[in-house]
């Protein structure tokens, strides 16, 4: 292969990489804009000329990664379906589904499962509860590591109280006024913490009970993972 041919291939690769980076910048801008925005707002959010942003959005429309309603763009259903395939640990989201829903049912609190990702506690499964007006719980949202879930994941939390609540981190109004949280570790087969199961409530008085119920839920997820009976080829879980 000639030097000119090699240079042309490298330039083509760089152009392809630039298009991909630009497309992901647009998608991330949509996320930061609340999931739906117009061309001007999107272009400004990712520091792209409006013409370039428009061309990329039109390409994303063709493959279903973006949808358009009037002059507003939003993330498309195809991207959502692909995102549901992502699994931070084999079987984790499937194992957490029923324990999280039970936890929400018996406490009324918001229940969520987080993993350590890019230096934050990333929510991978959730069931909204009573803190929804203050802290809307959604899959994909992330928390700083000074939160209860973040402390469990980073190993920086206070020592657990032993027994059922071993490894738990409890905090009340330390991160957000009016919101109390308890988080407990979910462990893999090697006893390593792979996730934090958290419950958020508006009641300081009910935090201990919520923490005990969260401990049961975390133990149920850990047990399901240790049995290894969950197939990573199961259909993606729909959250509602």
């Amino acid at each position: 292969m000639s030097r000119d041919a090699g240079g042309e291939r490298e330039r083509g690769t760089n152009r392809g990489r630039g298009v991909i980076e630009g497309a992901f910048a647009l998608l991330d801008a949509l996320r930061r804009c609340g999931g739906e925005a117009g061309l001007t707002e999107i272009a400004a959010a990712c520091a792209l000329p409006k013409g370039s942003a428009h061309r990329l959005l039109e390409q994303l429309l063709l493959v279903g990664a973006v949808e358009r309603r009037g002059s507003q763009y939003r993330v498309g259903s195809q991207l959502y379906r692909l995102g549901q395939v992502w699994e931070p640990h084999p079987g984790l989201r499937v194992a957490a589904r029923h324990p999280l829903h039970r936890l929400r049912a018996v406490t009324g609190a918001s229940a969520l499962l987080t993993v350590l990702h890019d230096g934050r506690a990333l929510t991978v499964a959730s069931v909204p509860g009573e803190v929804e007006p203050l802290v809307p719980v959604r899959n994909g949202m992330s928390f700083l590591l000074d939160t209860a879930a973040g402390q469990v994941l980073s190993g920086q939390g206070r020592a657990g109280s032993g027994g059922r609540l071993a490894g738990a981190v409890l905090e009340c109004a330390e991160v957000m006024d009016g919101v109390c949280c308890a988080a407990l570790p979910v462990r893999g087969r090697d006893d390593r913490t792979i996730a934090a199961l958290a419950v958020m409530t508006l009641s300081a008085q009910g935090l201990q009970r919520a923490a005990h119920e969260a401990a049961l839920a975390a133990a149920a997820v850990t047990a399901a993972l240790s049995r290894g009976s969950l197939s990573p080829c199961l259909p993606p879980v729909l959250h509602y």
Side-chain angles (χ1 to χ4, degrees):
M1 180 177 66
S2 70
R3 182 178 300 177
D4 288 345
E8 182 62 32
R9 177 174 296 179
E10 182 177 350
R11 287 191 293 274
T13 301
N14 289 337
R15 283 195 297 270
R17 185 183 299 116
V19 170
I20 292 172
E21 289 174 351
F24 272 89
L26 286 173
L27 293 171
D28 189 57
L30 274 174
R31 176 189 64 83
R32 288 184 281 113
C33 291
E36 185 172 295
L39 174 60
T40 301
E41 186 179 1
I42 296 170
C46 57
L48 279 176
K50 285 181 64 174
S52 299
H54 183 261
R55 285 192 295 273
L56 285 171
L57 285 168
E58 290 300 310
Q59 294 178 48
L60 291 170
L61 279 167
L62 291 175
V63 296
V66 165
E67 297 173 355
R68 183 171 56 205
R69 183 171 59 183
S71 62
Q72 299 292 104
Y73 294 88
R74 60 185 178 184
V75 172
S77 59
Q78 176 66 1
L79 198 63
Y80 173 77
R81 285 193 292 269
L82 292 173
Q84 291 293 293
V85 177
W86 181 74
E87 186 73 85
H89 184 85
L92 178 61
R93 292 170 61 196
V94 176
R97 183 183 185 185
H98 292 299
L100 286 178
H101 278 276
R102 181 188 179 279
L103 179 58
R104 164 66 175 84
V106 299
T107 64
S110 296
L112 59 152
L113 187 77
T114 67
V115 297
L116 188 62
H117 186 73
D118 287 343
R120 294 175 68 93
L122 175 67
T123 304
V124 295
S126 60
V127 184
E130 64 184 13
V131 303
E132 189 71 5
L134 293 178
V135 186
V137 173
R138 301 289 184 271
N139 294 351
M141 69 184 299
S142 61
F143 299 91
L144 297 174
L145 296 185
D146 61 354
T147 58
Q151 290 181 54
V152 168
L153 292 170
S154 63
Q156 300 301 311
R158 297 176 293 277
S161 56
R164 185 177 291 172
L165 289 182
V169 174
L170 280 67
E171 60 91 2
C172 198
E174 295 176 19
V175 176
M176 177 174 289
D177 289 340
V179 176
C180 299
C181 183
L184 291 106
V186 171
R187 305 186 189 279
R189 291 186 179 184
D190 58 359
D191 203 39
R192 178 176 56 88
T193 296
I194 60 173
L197 189 147
V199 58
M200 293 191 293
T201 178
L202 301 176
S203 169
Q205 290 75 22
L207 183 59
Q208 281 291 335
R209 176 176 177 267
H212 278 282
E213 294 294 343
L216 292 175
V221 179
T222 295
L225 292 173
S226 68
R227 290 194 298 269
S229 59
L230 297 166
S231 169
C233 294
L234 288 171
V237 176
L238 298 179
H239 299 274
Y240 48 86

